[in-house]
């Protein structure tokens, strides 16, 4: 029996193939090995933060604390060790602890205190940026050699950051689609009232969405600190809009419910390659935000349109109708 393929997966894959065709015709340099090796790590970063935003959107919310979470992870991974490889693991542990605390805070404010998700996560974002300034003073720092080798290196010609993104995708996909907890998570996102009536712990599942999202943002920030030799203290600022765009392009409804991790990762590559194509054909870098906004609008438009198929009734059905 053939396995049904999600409409979102077909849409984003076909869109990506069409984009690659356009790149080959009008901007072949954007598909060169050098261009891909330079752009794929950043596509991986967008994929990871997109997976985090996906979990929150599935519960009908938005996580606007993403910029502060990513920036704080970058600052912790660069300023705390002070170019000392021996202190890198401590910086990673502290970053994970802060991510867990931020996720719990967001989850408590949204799921237990019933605050609006946008307002609650903006407040958390302000707290995280306060910590960024307290630690770094807004001044960048050089990453450690160990982190640069791990996050910025390659394995069999594939950037390690891409491997981290694929691993994150597999974990999210398996958890959502192959476990009981994942099915409950999606059911609660689709209809919290029905989930509560069925005896499910709605608030706990909603809170864990923010916790897991923060852990993914933390991973993205640490990878950025290794990919970029001297990252700024505000690396997360440019990732908020792309994170929402890839979730929408991947076919996940902004109202919550079913999510598509694989489609989200493919959409991250599509969005990153679209930016590379635009730069190659001469679109200024300042227009990147407009391109991302247009991609977001494209995703909303595509999945809001309902395809209908007019089918003729079968012979048996027609005979039953005749008898009536």
């Amino acid at each position: 029996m053939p396995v049904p393929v999600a409409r979102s997966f077909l849409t984003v894959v076909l869109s990506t193939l069409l984009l690659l065709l356009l790149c080959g015709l009008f901007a072949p340099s954007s598909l060169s090995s050098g261009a891909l090796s330079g752009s794929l790590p950043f596509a991986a970063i967008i994929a990871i933060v997109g997976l985090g935003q996906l979990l929150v959107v599935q519960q009908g919310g938005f996580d606007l604390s993403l910029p502060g979470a990513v920036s704080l992870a970058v600052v912790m991974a660069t300023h705390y060790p002070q170019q000392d490889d021996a202190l890198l693991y401590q910086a990673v542990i502290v970053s994970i602890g802060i991510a867990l605390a931020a996720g719990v805070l967001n989850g408590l404010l949204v799921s237990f205190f019933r605050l609006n998700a946008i307002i609650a996560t903006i407040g958390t974002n302000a707290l995280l940026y306060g910590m960024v300034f307290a630690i770094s003073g807004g001044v960048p720092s050089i990453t450690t050699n160990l982190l640069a080798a791990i996050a910025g290196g390659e394995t069999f010609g594939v950037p390690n950051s891409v491997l981290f993104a694929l691993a994150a995708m597999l974990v999210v996909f398996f958890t959502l689609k192959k476990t009981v907890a994942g099915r409950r998570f999606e059911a609660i996102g689709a209809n919290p009232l029905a989930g509560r009536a069925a005896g499910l712990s709605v608030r706990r599942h909603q809170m864990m969405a923010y916790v897991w999202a923060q852990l993914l943002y933390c991973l993205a920030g640490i990878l950025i600190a290794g990919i970029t030799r001297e990252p700024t203290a505000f690396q997360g600022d440019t990732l908020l809009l792309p994170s929402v765009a890839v979730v929408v392009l991947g076919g996940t409804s902004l109202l919550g419910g079913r999510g598509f991790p694989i489609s989200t990762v493919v959409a991250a590559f599509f969005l990153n390659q679209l930016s590379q194509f635009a730069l190659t054909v001469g679109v200024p870098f300042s227009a990147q935000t407009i391109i991302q906004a247009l991609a977001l609008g494209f995703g909303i438009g595509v999945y809001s349109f309902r395809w209908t198929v007019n089918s003729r009734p079968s012979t048996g059905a027609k005979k039953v109708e005749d008898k009536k």
Side-chain angles (χ1 to χ4, degrees), residues 15-238:
S15 300
T16 302
L17 292 176
L18 177 60
L19 175 61
L20 292 176
L21 177 61
L22 293 176
C23 289
L25 293 175
F26 301 104
S29 60
S30 65
L31 296 178
S32 65
S33 58
L36 290 176
S37 63
S39 64
L40 281 178
F42 295 99
I45 297 300
I46 296 175
I48 293 173
V49 296
L51 290 172
Q53 193 73 255
L54 167 74
L55 298 175
V56 176
V57 170
Q58 282 190 262
Q59 296 302 314
F62 288 99
D63 193 349
L64 302 189
S65 65
L66 183 155
V70 172
S71 298
L72 183 55
V74 171
V75 167
M76 286 299 304
T78 54
H79 284 75
Y80 186 93
Q82 292 296 318
Q83 292 86 56
D84 186 355
D85 290 340
L87 296 178
L88 178 61
Y89 78 95
Q90 296 181 14
V92 172
I93 292 175
V94 173
S95 299
I96 293 174
I98 294 174
L100 290 173
V104 170
L105 176 60
N106 278 335
L108 288 175
L109 292 175
V110 175
S111 61
F112 286 89
F113 292 96
R114 314 307 297 172
L115 292 181
N116 181 275
I118 294 177
I119 296 174
T121 54
I122 285 179
T124 302
N125 188 63
L127 292 175
L128 293 172
Y129 264 125
M131 296 181 66
V132 168
F133 279 103
I135 296 171
S136 68
V139 179
S141 180
I142 299 175
T143 190
T144 62
N145 293 327
L146 178 59
L147 184 57
I150 295 175
E154 294 184 352
T155 301
F156 302 113
V158 180
N160 291 339
S161 55
V162 174
L163 298 179
F164 277 104
L166 292 176
M169 179 196 71
L170 291 176
V171 171
V172 174
F173 175 81
F174 179 81
T175 303
L176 288 179
K177 306 300 181 182
K178 304 299 181 180
T179 66
V180 175
R183 297 188 187 98
R184 290 175 177 173
F185 182 86
E186 292 195 329
I188 290 172
N191 194 330
L193 295 178
R196 188 174 292 110
L200 300 179
S201 181
V202 174
R203 293 182 178 181
R204 185 181 65 188
H205 282 80
Q206 290 176 342
M207 183 178 74
M208 291 307 299
Y210 290 92
V211 173
W212 285 109
Q214 286 290 326
L215 290 175
L216 288 165
Y217 305 155
C218 178
L219 172 61
I222 293 172
L223 290 175
I224 291 174
I227 295 170
T228 308
R229 185 65 179 174
E230 190 174 354
T232 70
F234 314 103
Q235 290 287 153
D237 288 353
T238 60

